[in-house]
């Protein structure tokens, strides 16, 4: 096992390389792929069909955009929640009813305007997670702030699904004791894990 300092450095370098690749995607290319694939593949999952409360992220630049999926899930009668960062360490799930309720929040990420309805982690049936990279063992690399890893401690493994581009699935993601695995990976090519 590598010392924590070595893992941290490797994660930092890997994150830098993967984010550069993600930023290199054209806006047109990502919009076409988003609309065509991600919503379709997520809707087909048994866990989606059985879920009533779903936590889905609001995409940052280069991430697979789930806006179309969120709209579909709302029409489908699901309660959809998005992450809201409450401080520099913690996030919670706030219910979205309309994209009209969004504003720019911490880290220049779209977030819900206050007031909002919050769901406890044990009420969430499915969590769609953005990632910088994942491997086929379900290890994931996030942005490095630990928001999702802290939140996922209260979410059962089978409810955690990463949504990423296929090039972000790599051979090995370095992990430490704080990292939380995902049970599935969805890419623009379908379900990988």
């Amino acid at each position: 096992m590598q010392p924590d300092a070595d893992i941290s450095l490797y994660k930092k370098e890997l994150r830098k390389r993967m984010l550069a690749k993600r930023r290199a995607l054209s806006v047109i290319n990502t919009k076409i792929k988003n609309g065509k694939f991600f919503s379709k593949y997520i809707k087909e999952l048994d866990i989606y069909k059985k879920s009533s409360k779903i936590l889905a992220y609001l995409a940052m630049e280069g991430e697979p955009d789930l806006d179309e999926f969120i709209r579909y899930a709302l029409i489908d009668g699901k309660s959809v929640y998005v992450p809201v960062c409450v401080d520099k360490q913690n996030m919670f799930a706030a219910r979205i009813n309309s994209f009209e309720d969004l504003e720019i929040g911490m880290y220049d990420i779209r977030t819900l305007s206050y007031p909002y309805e919050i769901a406890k982690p044990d009420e969430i049936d499915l969590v769609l997670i953005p990632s910088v990279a994942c491997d086929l063992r379900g290890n994931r690399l996030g942005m490095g702030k630990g928001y999702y890893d802290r939140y996922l401690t209260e979410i059962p493994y089978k409810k955690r699904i990463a949504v990423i581009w296929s090039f972000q699935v790599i051979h090995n993601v370095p992990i430490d004791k704080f990292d939380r695995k995902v049970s599935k990976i969805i890419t623009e090519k379908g379900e990988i894990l």
Side-chain angles (χ1 to χ4, degrees):
M1 177 96 159
Q2 296 174 308
D4 286 345
D6 289 347
I7 291 174
S8 180
L9 182 61
Y10 182 60
K11 281 182 170 184
K12 187 176 180 180
E13 288 302 314
L14 178 59
R15 188 176 291 115
K16 185 178 175 181
R17 286 195 322 267
M18 296 305 289
L19 287 174
K21 282 184 174 183
R22 197 171 76 187
R23 280 191 289 273
L25 294 172
S26 76
V27 172
I28 292 170
N29 194 25
T30 59
K31 288 292 181 191
I32 289 169
K33 287 182 177 177
N34 284 334
K36 190 172 180 183
F37 298 108
F38 290 104
S39 184
K40 172 188 169 190
Y41 292 131
I42 297 166
K43 291 185 297 190
E44 292 174 354
L45 296 173
D46 284 339
I47 191 169
Y48 168 78
K49 294 172 185 173
K50 295 174 184 174
S51 294
S52 61
K53 293 186 178 183
I54 299 167
L55 175 59
Y57 64 88
L58 296 167
M60 297 190 316
E61 184 181 358
E63 286 180 338
D65 190 315
L66 295 183
D67 288 7
E68 181 180 320
F69 167 75
I70 292 170
R71 286 184 183 95
Y72 173 86
L74 289 170
I75 291 167
D76 197 28
K78 310 289 187 181
S79 296
V80 182
Y81 297 78
V82 295
V84 173
C85 298
V86 291
D87 55 36
K88 296 204 180 237
Q89 290 200 346
N90 299 296
M91 70 179 214
F92 56 80
R95 188 170 182 178
I96 183 171
N97 295 305
S98 166
F99 281 86
E100 307 264 325
D101 299 332
L102 298 180
E103 63 184 19
I104 301 300
M106 277 179 124
Y107 309 110
D108 291 326
I109 298 171
R110 292 180 302 160
T111 190
L112 278 178
S113 304
Y114 188 79
Y116 30 70
E117 176 188 333
I118 298 169
K120 295 177 184 175
D122 63 354
E123 297 175 319
I124 300 293
D125 302 312
L126 169 62
V127 181
L128 301 173
I129 307 163
S131 300
V132 175
C134 289
D135 65 28
L136 294 178
R137 292 178 302 284
N139 297 316
R140 68 173 285 275
L141 179 68
M143 292 294 285
K145 302 287 185 193
Y147 282 100
Y148 273 93
D149 288 319
R150 283 186 289 276
Y151 189 82
L152 293 175
T153 60
E154 301 182 59
I155 302 287
Y157 167 75
K158 66 180 182 177
K159 295 181 180 183
R160 306 177 200 160
I161 299 177
V163 181
I164 59 176
W165 302 109
S166 56
F167 72 81
Q168 293 176 283
V169 180
I170 62 173
H171 179 68
N172 183 43
V173 170
I175 57 169
D176 60 37
K177 63 184 178 183
F178 302 108
D179 294 322
R180 301 290 171 253
K181 289 185 170 198
V182 295
S183 65
K184 292 187 186 307
I185 299 170
I186 299 291
T187 75
E188 77 279 11
K189 296 179 180 178
E191 184 179 338
I192 297 246
L193 184 62

